[in-house]
Structures are given as C-alpha cells and as structure tokens.
C-alpha cells in the first residue's frame, strides 16, 4: 500500500504503508480506484476464510475514511476509492515540489538507457518530447499573463513548479477537474507516479508506450479543456486547476524522458 504515502504525508497513512497491502489500479473511468485481492491470496482455497479476512481488513481501513472510501466486492476484493481531498493533496504536493520525482533509476534497460535506432522510434520519442515542450510553453504563457506564478528556474533542474497552491477544490470540496479528458489524464498521471516512485519488482513497465499514452491524453485534454478565453475570464479557478494539471504532466513527462528513456526533455521545439 505504498502508494498512499505519495498522496498525503499524514502519519496514519504512512503507518498503513508498512502493511504493504498489494494493490492494483482499477479501470473505472470516473474515479481513482485501487483494488486488492489480498484475502484471496492469503486463502485461495477457502472462500469463507477469505471473506472473513477481507471484512477484517476493510473494517480496519474504514477508520481512515477521511482519505478514501472502502468497499468489499464479491468474492473477496477490497475497493479503495481516493476521495477528492486526498487527490487534491497529492496534486498539491507535486505542483509545489513537496513530492519529488527526482533520483529515479536509469533507462528501461535498467542501466544505460540505450535504445534502438529507427524512424518509428524517433517519431514516438518526438511526440513525447513535443508534449513536454508544449506543456512548458503553455505554463510560461500562463505565468506571463498572471494566471499562475512559477518558480524562477531557468536551468529546469526541478521542472516547472507553482509558487502558490492551486485551487483544486471548489467550495463544496469537490475537484474542479471532472470532465472526461481531465479525469483520463489524471488517471494516467496517478498510475505513472505510482510506477515511478514505487516500482513493482514483479512488473515491467514499457515506458515508451506509457509516455505515448500520456502525451496523447495531454493532447486530448488540451484540445477539449480550454484554459484561455471565456474560461480565463469567467472561471479563473478552473483555468488555474487545469494549469496545475499541466504542471504535473510536465513533471511526469520530464521524469520519464530523462530517467527512463535517457533522453533530453526539451522546454521548446
């Protein structure tokens, strides 16, 4: 259950982390959902025992309802849905640099980051680099226009970070980002940060494919979720939340390009 320490620095969550509850991200397109089959793993041939185990674990996790919702799903699965305030903390920690993606291992081959040559590979890589550069360009434009304030970091050592909290939540404490393209982009970002910060030794990640998916999700987000124009004038907080999502996208793309694909993350093309 290591992923939870990325979302909040609360000591209770860090205490749960020590239990190492095995989780995988669900495919629900409307919420950030994690699923655990630990009860079935502990008692694969005894359904009644598995049901008892899953109820006990769920009852324990239910005490942390301020961070996530817990549900038992037959035959003996635990569904953990992150609530909006928890996601907002996670997004905040990334955009202001309190959660770092620095110091992550080398290229996909584990050491040198060597990659095959070829037009197809170069085209894929260019799409990822273009998405990163586009994020940087949009964020700098927003900074110049006063929509957000970025840390003055000309060397790009830390990537682009916000100097102030992003208004992720509305007055009802709900995420402002709920449209389809916003949620899809956020899903990918959560999954990729999980894989970057807490890699599963039993699972191999194809970082080229994953980064391409993120680049495509960014393009859909940018095409369908406006920031300037009427949104900037009439819904400044929504525009700022969408810019915050661009900050996280830029940080994740940069980390994958440099630490997993072992190439330069351009700030302009």
């Amino acid at each position: 259950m290591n992923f939870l320490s990325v979302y909040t620095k609360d000591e209770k969550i860090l205490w749960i982390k020590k239990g190492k509850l095995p989780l995988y991200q669900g495919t629900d397109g409307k919420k950030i959902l994690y699923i655990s089959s630990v009860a079935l793993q502990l008692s694969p041939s005894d359904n009644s025992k598995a049901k008892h185990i899953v109820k006990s674990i769920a009852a324990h996790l239910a005490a942390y309802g301020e961070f996530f919702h817990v549900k038992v799903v037959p035959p003996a699965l635990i569904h953990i849905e992150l609530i909006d305030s928890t996601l907002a903390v996670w997004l905040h920690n990334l955009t202001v640099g309190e959660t770092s993606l620095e110091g992550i291992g080398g290229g996909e081959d584990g050491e040198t980051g060597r990659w095959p040559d070829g037009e197809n590979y170069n085209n894929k890589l260019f799409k990822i680099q273009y998405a990163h550069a586009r994020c940087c360009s949009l964020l700098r434009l927003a900074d110049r226009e006063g929509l957000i304030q970025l840390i003055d970091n000309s060397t790009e050592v830390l990537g682009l970070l916000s100097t102030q909290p992003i208004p992720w939540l509305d007055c009802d404490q709900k995420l402002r980002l709920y449209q389809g393209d916003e949620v899809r982009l956020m899903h990918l970002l959560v999954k990729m940060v999980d894989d970057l910060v807490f890699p599963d030794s039993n699972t191999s990640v194809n970082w080229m494919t994953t980064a391409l998916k993120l680049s495509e999700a960014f393009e859909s987000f940018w095409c369908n979720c406006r920031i300037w124009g009427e949104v900037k004038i009439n819904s400044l907080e929504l525009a700022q939340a969408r810019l915050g999502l661009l900050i996280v996208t830029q940080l994740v793309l940069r980390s994958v390009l440099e630490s997993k694909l072992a190439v330069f993350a351009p700030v302009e093309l």
Side-chain angles (χ1 to χ4, degrees):
M1 202 162 181
N2 288 346
F3 81 96
L4 287 173
S5 67
V6 179
Y7 293 93
T8 175
K9 295 183 178 180
D10 189 279
E11 291 181 359
K12 290 186 289 187
I13 291 296
L14 296 178
W15 180 83
I16 297 174
K17 165 186 166 183
K18 298 176 183 178
K20 298 181 180 179
L21 184 65
L23 298 168
Y24 61 92
Q25 191 174 351
T27 57
D28 189 299
K30 297 181 180 179
K31 50 193 172 186
I32 306 297
L33 179 70
Y34 287 84
I35 301 171
S36 176
S37 59
V38 63
L40 294 173
Q41 296 173 33
L42 293 174
S43 185
S45 59
D46 189 338
N47 287 339
S48 61
K49 185 176 180 181
K51 290 179 181 179
H52 174 73
I53 293 172
V54 77
K55 287 181 179 179
S56 298
I57 294 175
H60 173 73
L61 293 175
Y64 303 95
E66 62 194 288
F67 302 110
F68 45 76
H69 295 151
V70 180
K71 181 180 179 181
V72 174
V73 177
L77 298 176
I78 301 173
H79 283 200
I80 301 174
E81 177 189 347
L82 301 186
I83 65 176
D84 287 359
S85 58
T86 302
L87 282 168
V89 170
W90 176 74
L91 290 163
H92 168 79
N93 286 345
L94 282 169
T95 53
V96 300
E98 291 186 16
T99 293
S100 176
L101 299 181
E102 298 300 310
I104 298 166
E108 187 168 335
D109 61 4
E111 292 293 337
T112 63
R114 291 188 298 271
W115 293 89
D117 294 324
E119 183 177 355
N120 186 46
Y121 166 76
N122 290 331
N123 287 339
K124 291 179 180 179
L125 190 60
F126 176 78
K127 289 180 181 179
I128 302 169
Q129 291 176 312
Y130 173 82
H132 178 269
R134 186 63 174 147
C135 285
C136 292
S137 175
L138 292 169
L139 289 169
R140 285 204 173 89
L141 175 59
D143 181 63
R144 290 195 298 271
E145 294 189 1
L147 274 73
I148 56 173
Q149 293 182 350
L150 300 176
I151 293 176
D152 183 11
N153 181 27
S154 58
T155 63
E156 303 300 328
V157 172
L158 297 175
L160 298 174
L161 298 172
S162 175
T163 62
Q164 57 194 7
I166 300 292
W168 300 109
L169 302 175
D170 62 20
C171 58
D172 295 320
Q173 296 301 294
K174 297 294 183 183
L175 273 178
R176 300 182 189 275
L177 307 172
Y178 59 85
Q179 294 188 18
D181 289 294
E182 295 168 335
V183 175
R184 279 190 288 275
L185 180 57
M186 197 152 38
H187 266 257
L188 274 173
L189 290 170
V190 169
K191 181 64 169 65
M192 291 179 72
V193 172
D194 281 350
D195 288 337
L196 284 165
V197 180
F198 299 112
D200 185 347
S201 59
N202 297 319
T203 303
S204 176
V205 177
N206 187 322
W207 288 107
M208 175 67 80
T209 299
T210 302
L212 272 174
K213 288 181 180 179
L214 181 60
S215 301
E216 292 165 359
F218 156 71
E219 291 294 342
S220 295
F221 165 80
W222 169 239
C223 289
N224 299 315
C225 302
R226 298 303 181 189
I227 295 174
W228 278 267
E230 291 185 5
V231 175
K232 173 186 173 182
I233 297 171
N234 300 322
S235 303
L236 178 59
E237 293 84 359
L238 175 59
Q240 291 171 328
R242 288 174 174 172
L243 287 166
L245 204 55
L246 288 187
I247 292 176
V248 180
T249 302
Q250 181 265 325
L251 291 171
V252 173
L253 283 173
R254 175 182 172 277
S255 183
V256 173
L257 282 167
E258 294 184 348
S259 69
K260 297 302 180 183
L261 302 182
V263 295
F264 178 62
V267 299
E268 59 183 6
L269 290 175

